[in-house]
Amino acid sequence: MPSPPSWKGRLIVGGATLVVFGVACALPAYYLKNGDRWSGGQVLLMGWMGLFLGQLGWFANLLYFPALITLLCRCWKTTVILAGVAFLIGLHSFALALQEIPLDEGGVNKTTVTAIGAAPVVWLASFVVLGGGAWMLRTRN
């Protein structure tokens, strides 16, 4: 009978997904018509406001962090499910392309997202690393 995964495996998977998540924060996320560019870190801080635009992708983060905890607790299936649902919710971030967004509180100044950068793709990859790593550790159990 194989031994249960040690802390080493869980820390490697958790660390890898956090590194990928951190890289996503440093990359450009959205390019705007007015010439501005938002990084993944800016979107992480401001993304909750997307709710007012009908944009729900940011809310995948609310499942990502509990998934990290369930990974450390060896709840493999829960981690895979949370990471998978977070991935699916995160796909909604691509719906922001070509959408008009307000630049101020009053909605007076507006711009349009003209292109999507690498950050959303790398951010989604962090969910894949987390769920895939949990699946691999589960099979070792």
Side-chain angles (χ1 to χ4, degrees):
M1 179 161 68
S3 63
S6 67
W7 274 99
K8 182 179 176 184
R10 289 178 272 168
L11 292 177
I12 288 172
V13 171
T17 189
L18 286 171
V19 166
V20 175
F21 192 94
V23 168
C25 288
L27 292 172
Y30 297 110
Y31 296 92
L32 307 176
K33 186 177 184 178
N34 68 353
D36 286 347
R37 179 183 75 182
W38 290 348
S39 71
Q42 287 173 299
V43 174
L44 179 62
L45 294 176
M46 300 181 324
W48 64 271
M49 291 186 281
L51 182 63
F52 301 113
L53 300 172
Q55 173 50 250
L56 304 176
W58 178 87
F59 292 92
N61 292 312
L62 300 179
L63 297 176
Y64 175 74
F65 294 107
L68 281 172
I69 293 168
T70 60
L71 173 75
L72 295 176
C73 296
R74 296 177 49 197
C75 298
W76 314 123
K77 289 180 185 178
T78 305
T79 303
V80 170
I81 291 168
L82 287 173
V85 173
F87 180 87
L88 292 175
I89 294 170
L91 287 173
H92 197 248
S93 297
F94 294 102
L96 199 55
L98 304 177
Q99 184 175 347
E100 188 175 71
I101 55 173
L103 289 175
D104 55 29
E105 304 84 20
V108 175
N109 297 313
K110 297 182 180 188
T111 191
T112 304
V113 176
T114 57
I116 296 177
V121 175
V122 175
W123 173 64
L124 288 173
S126 71
F127 302 145
V128 173
V129 170
L130 179 57
W135 184 262
M136 288 174 32
L137 291 172
R138 178 187 174 272
T139 60
R140 288 181 45 198
N141 194 9

